[in-house]
């Protein structure tokens, strides 16, 4: 920066002005009314700065200066515990702007349906209003406990978080798939296919279910018990061959979650199914937390599981991302769907930037759900001191993402310089390919 420019501009806009000075447009502009001289004169006269910040009437740099000291204090009532867990919305980065729709919720704030044998709670479109593609359910089953046999309108994807379960699903062709799953295993049940989940020996299990329907409700599924209880007994007799006395013994209310005896060995159940055991379609996916990553750097790793390697998962794709302390999942967006996140371990923050310069930063902890609107750019930074692990979920057959760094690296020099207003040598410091996770 020249000494002349130091004299004629306020420190608050030094950065912006320097950028303008470097552009070919600024150099060729008639000098009588350059932005620099106009802003400098206005500032000296004590007038309000007119800037590209538009409706907010301040440059980004003015807003950076304005967020310190008494301006940012909060002398009134304050939920300090919540503020401590979510510092960014309480003291937003100066780059945040406007008020994008909510994109944070936590399973810890959701109603818990607690029954003998376990519980369920959900984060859906009712909690995050703009999340119309996917909804999530978090469920616990003790050893032997069933999530009652059922089916529903949405496709169901799941990951086992802890413990083991036995799952079964029946196909329209009259064949049944059955398998045991443990921590890090997935399953996918197509809409309308009846299925079961039962906790196995030991401490039972806890898992996350994701449905490709934002307004899905775990209280709104077709249950075996409810169906049987509402068919006239004489029809049941014709259909099943069960007498009225036998009909009377059927459950009259939903079982939903209920304790039961532990099943026998998996091999026994497979032997029972015999030739009607489904072996071609694999509805479970083993080892999602220990598989070879598609990207691995000093900052972390990312695994992708979609229909290319888990063929039955036709409408839900997943990234499992590990970010080391201080590292970031690089700035990117997804061209083929909104992103529903489940935070499994650690803590971090995410900024979402949207059209009309809307931007907001939120903090996330294990058990939280995040949402990214379709195409909105975002990064995830690990702000804790242990590895951050989170799921990126999409209602799509195939995972896709666009890396901003990769895009910049592909811009020819003049194109890049015209937009970014930086010297080419600076622009070329950007990593030249999709790194996915950038180390601290
Ligand atoms: Mn289900
Ligand atoms: Mn993403």
């Amino acid at each position: 920066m020249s000494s002349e420019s130091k004299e004629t501009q306020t420190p608050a806009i030094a950065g912006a002005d320097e950028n303008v000075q470097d552009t070919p447009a600024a150099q060729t502009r008639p000098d009588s009314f350059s932005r620099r001289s106009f802003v400098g004169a206005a500032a000296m006269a004590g007038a309000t700065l007119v800037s590209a910040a538009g409706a907010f009437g301040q440059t980004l740099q003015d807003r950076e200066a304005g967020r310190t000291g008494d301006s940012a204090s909060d002398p009134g009532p304050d939920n300090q515990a919540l503020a401590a867990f979510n510092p960014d919305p309480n003291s937003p980065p100066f780059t945040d702007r406007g008020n994008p729709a909510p994109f944070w919720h936590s399973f810890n704030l959701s109603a818990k349906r607690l029954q003998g044998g376990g519980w369920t709670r959900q984060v859906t479109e009712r909690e995050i209003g703009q999340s119309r593609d996917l909804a999530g359910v978090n469920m616990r089953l003790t050893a032997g406990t069933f999530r009652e046999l059922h089916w529903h309108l949405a496709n169901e994807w799941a990951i086992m978080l802890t413990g083991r379960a036995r799952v079964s699903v029946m196909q329209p062709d009259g064949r049944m798939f059955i398998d045991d799953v443990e921590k890090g295993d997935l399953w996918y049940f197509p809409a309308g296919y009846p299925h079961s989940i039962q906790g196995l020996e030991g401490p039972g299990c806890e898992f996350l279910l994701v449905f490709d329907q934002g307004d899905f409700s775990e209280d709104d599924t077709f249950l075996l018990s409810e169906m049987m209880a509402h068919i006239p007994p004489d029809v049941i007799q014709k259909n099943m061959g069960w007498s009225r006395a036998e009909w009377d013994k059927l459950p009259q209310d939903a079982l939903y979650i209920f304790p039961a005896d532990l099943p026998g060995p998996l091999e026994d159940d497979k032997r029972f199914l015999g030739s009607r055991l489904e072996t071609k379609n694999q509805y479970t996916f083993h080892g999602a937390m220990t598989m070879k990553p598609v990207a691995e750097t000093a900052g972390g790793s990312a695994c992708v599981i979609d229909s290319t390697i888990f063929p039955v998962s036709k409408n839900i794709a997943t990234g499992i991302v590990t970010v080391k302390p201080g590292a970031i999942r690089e700035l990117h967006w997804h061209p083929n769907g909104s992103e529903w996140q489940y935070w499994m371990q650690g803590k971090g923050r995410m900024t979402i930037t949207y059209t009309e310069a809307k931007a907001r930063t939120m903090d996330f902890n294990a058990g939280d759900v995040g949402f990214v609107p379709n195409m909105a750019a975002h990064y995830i930074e690990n702000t804790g001191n242990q590895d951050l692990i989170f799921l990126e979920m999409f209602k799509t057959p195939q995972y896709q993402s666009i890396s901003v760094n990769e895009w910049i690296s592909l811009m020819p020099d003049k194109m890049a310089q015209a937009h970014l207003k930086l010297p080419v040598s600076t622009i070329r410091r950007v990593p030249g390919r999709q790194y996915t996770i950038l180390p601290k």
Side-chain angles (χ1 to χ4, degrees):
M1 189 188 294
S2 71
S3 59
E4 180 208 13
S5 67
K6 274 182 186 157
E7 287 162 17
T8 54
Q9 62 194 355
T10 62
I13 57 165
D17 196 54
E18 186 180 33
N19 292 346
V20 169
Q21 191 181 8
D22 284 346
T23 65
Q27 286 154 12
T28 57
R29 177 189 299 157
D31 229 355
S32 58
F33 199 71
S34 75
R35 182 170 176 273
R36 172 156 34 122
S37 60
F38 169 73
V39 172
M44 281 186 289
T48 303
L49 293 180
V50 176
S51 76
F56 279 69
Q58 291 179 308
T59 63
L60 287 174
Q61 288 79 4
D62 290 333
R63 285 156 60 193
E64 182 175 24
R67 68 192 287 278
T68 55
D70 204 33
S71 305
S73 65
D74 185 355
D78 207 21
N79 184 331
Q80 291 180 3
L82 201 50
F85 267 98
N86 225 318
D88 275 302
N90 286 281
S91 182
F94 73 94
T95 42
D96 276 13
R97 182 182 182 277
N99 188 14
F103 58 92
W104 172 91
H105 198 81
S106 182
F107 277 108
N108 288 93
L109 297 176
S110 291
K112 199 180 231 176
R113 177 174 177 174
L114 180 54
Q115 297 188 207
W119 48 257
T120 182
R121 54 187 179 180
Q122 58 190 349
V123 176
T124 72
E125 193 179 316
R126 287 166 286 275
E127 285 74 32
I128 300 178
Q130 57 178 333
S131 179
R132 296 186 192 96
D133 290 344
L134 299 172
V137 170
N138 180 204
M139 190 175 288
R140 159 107 176 104
L141 301 175
T142 61
T145 291
F146 272 108
R147 166 64 173 91
E148 183 188 350
L149 291 163
H150 71 284
W151 67 102
H152 35 68
L153 302 178
N155 294 302
E156 169 177 324
W157 179 99
I159 184 167
M160 187 57 70
L161 301 171
T162 181
R164 298 176 64 234
R166 179 161 304 171
V167 296
S168 75
V169 57
M170 184 184 144
Q171 298 181 158
D173 67 358
R175 297 166 69 89
M176 183 178 278
F177 175 88
I178 190 162
D179 198 10
D180 288 350
V181 288
E182 60 183 18
K183 181 178 177 176
D185 291 349
L186 316 180
W187 71 77
Y188 187 93
F189 299 150
Y193 288 25
H195 51 276
S196 67
I197 310 163
Q198 184 178 24
L200 293 179
E201 69 281 356
C205 60
E206 183 182 335
F207 47 91
L208 174 78
L209 302 159
V210 178
F211 301 89
D212 60 350
Q213 182 189 338
D215 65 354
F216 180 86
S217 172
E218 189 56 16
D219 303 323
D220 186 17
T221 60
F222 297 95
L223 303 178
L224 176 64
S225 59
E226 291 184 335
M227 175 185 67
M228 301 299 272
H230 297 284
I231 299 292
D234 58 313
V235 174
I236 290 288
Q237 183 147 23
K238 286 180 183 170
N239 199 84
M240 276 92 185
W242 300 338
S243 69
R244 171 62 200 254
E246 287 159 341
W247 186 91
D248 286 341
K249 292 177 184 164
L250 291 169
Q252 293 183 4
D253 290 314
L255 297 173
Y256 195 74
I257 287 175
F258 66 101
D261 293 337
L262 281 165
L266 177 62
E267 287 314 309
D268 287 1
D269 284 357
K270 288 185 172 179
R271 206 171 302 119
F272 166 76
L273 290 168
S275 64
R276 295 168 73 185
L277 173 70
E278 173 60 30
T279 54
K280 204 165 72 234
N281 290 313
Q282 181 72 30
Y283 291 94
T284 53
F285 183 97
H286 294 277
M289 303 297 292
T290 50
M291 63 189 283
K292 190 178 178 327
V294 293
E296 192 161 24
T297 70
S301 63
C303 299
V304 168
I305 302 133
D306 63 15
S307 62
T308 57
I309 61 167
F310 185 21
V312 299
S313 189
K314 285 194 170 70
N315 207 35
I316 297 182
T318 312
I320 303 179
V321 183
T322 302
V323 184
K324 294 192 184 310
I328 64 165
R329 165 80 175 92
E330 66 171 343
L331 188 59
H332 68 283
W333 71 87
H334 306 275
N336 60 343
S338 65
E339 173 175 334
W340 193 95
Q341 299 169 345
Y342 178 66
W343 290 61
M344 294 178 67
Q345 176 186 301
K347 60 190 289 193
R349 67 173 186 165
M350 171 168 73
T351 302
I352 288 173
T353 69
Y354 204 66
T355 56
E356 297 179 309
K358 288 197 283 284
R360 193 171 180 209
T361 307
M362 296 288 289
D363 302 280
F364 297 83
N365 290 272
D368 291 354
V369 172
F371 177 80
V372 184
N374 198 3
M375 322 265 178
H378 55 287
Y379 67 86
I380 285 104
E381 178 184 21
N382 183 338
T383 54
N385 50 25
Q386 64 167 324
D387 282 5
L388 160 65
I389 303 175
F390 70 97
L391 303 178
E392 304 181 354
M393 308 285 312
F394 306 90
K395 182 178 180 172
T396 174
Q398 287 192 333
Y399 180 95
Q400 289 184 344
S401 75
I402 301 277
S403 156
V404 177
N405 279 351
E406 192 164 52
W407 187 29
I408 291 172
S409 75
L410 294 173
M411 295 172 189
D413 286 351
K414 284 186 174 175
M415 184 194 292
Q417 199 179 15
H419 286 81
L420 298 167
K421 319 297 185 196
L422 293 169
V424 172
S425 59
T426 304
I427 293 169
R428 296 302 164 221
R429 289 209 307 271
V430 168
R433 63 175 180 82
Q434 185 159 9
Y435 272 70
T436 307
I437 319 289
L438 295 162
K440 188 176 177 178

